[in-house]
Amino acid sequence: MHDTGTVPHSAPAPGSPAPAQDPASAGTGHLPSPERGMGSRHARRFGLPVATALVMGNIIGGGIFLLPASVAPYGTISLVAFGVLTVGAIALALVFGRLAQRDPRTGGPYVYVREAFGDFAGFLAAWSYWITSWVSNAALAVTAVGYLDVLLPVHDSPWLMMTAALVVQWLPALANLAGTRYVGAVQLVSTVLKFVPLLLVAIGGLFFFDPDNLGPFQASEGGALGAVSASAAILLFSYLGVESAAVSAGEVRNPRRNVARATVLGTLGAALVYLLGTLAVFGTVAHDKLLTSSAPFTDAVNAMFGGTWGGAAVACAALVSIMGALNGWTLLSAQTAYAAARDGLFPARFAVKRRGVSTFGVTVTVVLASLLTVYNYMAGTARVFEILVLVTTFTATVPYLLATAAQLYFLVSGQRDRVRPARLARDAVLALAAFGFSMWLLAGSGYAAVYQGVLFLFAGVLVHAWMSARKARA
């Protein structure tokens, strides 16, 4: 029997808000249902493969194609940082899996934080995540244009580059507007198309692996711990997206089972691609060349198979990867706003679903990202754009920190209906590890990102005040 994704019938936590009603069902006495808008033939609930693809697709964007060159200055000790980060990411994935089993509603971190700490904390989690989604989409689109230029030269015309960036954003948005059936299909196909070539490079690299290319184990000064920490700061945000299945839990079949599995499988799959791909590039491209490389996977393909066709192949893989990430992040942005609107914390229009998707949420996301993209190209400078992207490295991790704190709250408060006593010790260790990992993510974003991110985050307080006043008046 499939779980319907409704709210568990356990009593609410002491001091936590009562479950709010869907604006569309206000006065009916019924709890919000994630099935709303799922009756269309264009809406389809995600199975385990699509949910896993959503996690992998959102974790693996375009950054992987530059990662080996980014960490090369620290030497192969950066692989140790990869291992440490993977452990932290898996702990975070397991915590999200536990939370989704307990409350499988759409919204992910927002849902858990609001239940534990109330409306204001829940709003901050939703606001922070929503900002991250559409600003990141603009950044992904600009990155995609750089890869597109390898195939179709567009760099000579700012107008052509801007148009290309807008097209790259709107195509995934149209797939979202068409319904969850098409979102799932695009996500599954794009994940396979980008996973296969990356894995082929990683496995193929084993046959061309030359230890002499690795260079020094520790290439930087400052000691081993400093090298691990410095390379980890670059790699930290490669794992953003582990929460993807939890955010869309209401659209996943049997969410209490599949969200946890998809989260762990997707994170493990992404970690495998990251680690093997970086190792393959380290072993096929000479260290001194890698230090100055702007396309390390291209250099690796050319070194393995000869010729200069590697650039086009890697550019195609990168474009597919970014389109898949845009498809997934557009959905998550709309889902987070939907969950908050369902509880009266975002405008009610975000809570209206058609074909399984909040069409208003998707439209607002792509319009805001498009405006930011246009401003980036029209202003002729990337400074403002870079600042906003830097801010998202902070805002993306705020919901992680709050969600892991919510899990610790549920564990420590002794709510027996929410925590199995036999799993208490194990879940507590996982939650503490995930909390520490989230703190590391925040610290790794840097002083400027934290300072600017806090200002950006608390700008939402005015929105919360306005929505709270409307809610009270109603």
Side-chain angles (χ1 to χ4, degrees):
M1 179 178 179
H2 291 307
D3 195 295
T4 60
T6 53
V7 183
H9 295 293
S10 54
S16 66
Q21 293 180 343
D22 190 313
S25 61
T28 65
H30 296 293
L31 292 176
S33 171
E35 297 285 354
R36 188 177 303 281
M38 295 296 290
S40 166
R41 63 188 177 90
H42 300 292
R44 180 174 296 172
R45 304 190 78 179
F46 303 147
L48 180 60
V50 173
T52 302
L54 183 64
V55 176
M56 287 188 62
N58 285 358
I59 292 176
I60 302 176
I64 184 176
F65 297 96
L66 292 175
L67 274 181
S70 300
V71 297
Y74 303 102
T76 52
I77 196 173
S78 57
L79 296 175
V80 176
F82 254 126
V84 174
L85 289 175
T86 298
V87 172
I90 293 298
L92 188 60
L94 288 170
V95 168
F96 277 122
R98 295 280 188 274
L99 288 166
Q101 286 175 344
R102 197 183 54 77
D103 193 342
R105 285 181 293 167
T106 292
Y110 157 74
V111 171
Y112 320 137
V113 172
R114 179 176 178 269
E115 183 177 352
F117 307 124
D119 281 354
F120 183 62
F123 172 82
L124 287 182
W127 175 259
S128 181
Y129 198 83
W130 183 68
I131 289 172
T132 300
S133 301
W134 61 265
V135 175
S136 295
N137 276 9
L140 283 169
V142 173
T143 304
V145 172
Y147 289 110
L148 179 64
D149 190 56
V150 176
L151 305 173
L152 301 171
V154 294
H155 64 275
D156 291 333
S157 170
W159 288 99
L160 195 55
M161 293 174 67
M162 182 177 70
T163 302
L166 293 175
V167 170
V168 166
Q169 289 179 59
W170 277 90
L171 286 177
L174 291 176
N176 273 264
L177 291 172
T180 52
R181 175 180 181 179
Y182 301 98
V183 173
V186 170
Q187 199 64 34
L188 189 59
V189 171
S190 65
T191 300
V192 172
L193 288 178
K194 71 181 175 184
F195 186 85
V196 170
L198 286 171
L199 202 55
L200 284 175
V201 170
I203 295 175
L206 299 178
F207 296 97
F208 298 90
F209 194 90
D210 184 354
D212 292 336
N213 290 328
L214 293 176
F217 177 69
Q218 183 183 333
S220 62
E221 299 179 357
L225 183 59
V228 170
S229 298
S231 55
I234 296 173
L235 300 169
L236 279 172
F237 303 100
S238 300
Y239 284 104
L240 294 181
V242 297
E243 76 292 342
S244 301
V247 173
S248 293
E251 279 63 56
V252 177
R253 284 202 252 7
N254 194 4
R256 285 194 173 90
R257 179 184 181 211
N258 285 335
V259 167
R261 292 186 174 188
T263 300
V264 175
L265 289 175
T267 305
L268 283 173
L272 179 68
V273 172
Y274 281 152
L275 192 57
L276 289 181
T278 302
L279 183 61
V281 173
F282 277 2
T284 54
V285 181
H287 183 259
D288 56 346
K289 183 178 180 181
L290 189 58
L291 290 173
T292 58
S293 175
S294 59
F297 272 82
T298 296
D299 293 336
V301 171
N302 290 339
M304 285 188 282
F305 305 110
T308 58
W309 58 273
V314 171
C316 288
L319 283 171
V320 170
S321 181
I322 292 172
M323 293 292 283
L326 280 166
N327 181 64
W329 280 108
T330 300
L331 173 67
L332 297 193
S333 177
Q335 298 290 51
T336 300
Y338 160 79
R342 179 188 59 199
D343 297 325
L345 301 182
F346 267 40
R349 290 195 65 184
F350 283 99
V352 179
K353 281 192 173 185
R354 293 184 178 87
R355 298 176 290 277
V357 176
S358 170
T359 52
F360 182 75
V362 170
T363 303
V364 170
T365 294
V366 71
V367 167
L368 287 174
S370 297
L371 290 174
L372 181 56
T373 302
V374 170
Y375 178 77
N376 175 59
Y377 285 108
M378 293 294 290
T381 174
R383 180 59 184 158
V384 175
F385 187 72
E386 289 172 357
I387 290 174
L388 288 174
V389 171
L390 187 64
V391 167
T392 65
T393 63
F394 168 81
T395 57
T397 56
V398 169
Y400 292 176
L401 192 67
L402 292 174
T404 53
Q407 173 71 339
L408 288 169
Y409 166 79
F410 293 135
L411 293 171
V412 175
S413 62
Q415 297 175 42
R416 298 298 182 183
D417 58 327
R418 288 170 165 77
V419 182
R420 297 182 185 179
R423 294 183 175 179
L424 182 59
R426 183 184 66 184
D427 286 353
V429 170
L430 283 173
L432 286 171
F435 186 86
F437 179 65
S438 301
M439 286 294 291
W440 196 12
L441 285 170
L442 287 177
S445 61
Y447 292 109
V450 172
Y451 171 73
Q452 293 159 353
V454 167
L455 295 178
F456 217 77
L457 181 64
F458 280 93
V461 173
L462 185 63
V463 178
H464 178 68
W466 175 55
M467 291 305 302
S468 296
R470 290 189 60 187
K471 190 176 179 182
R473 189 168 65 248

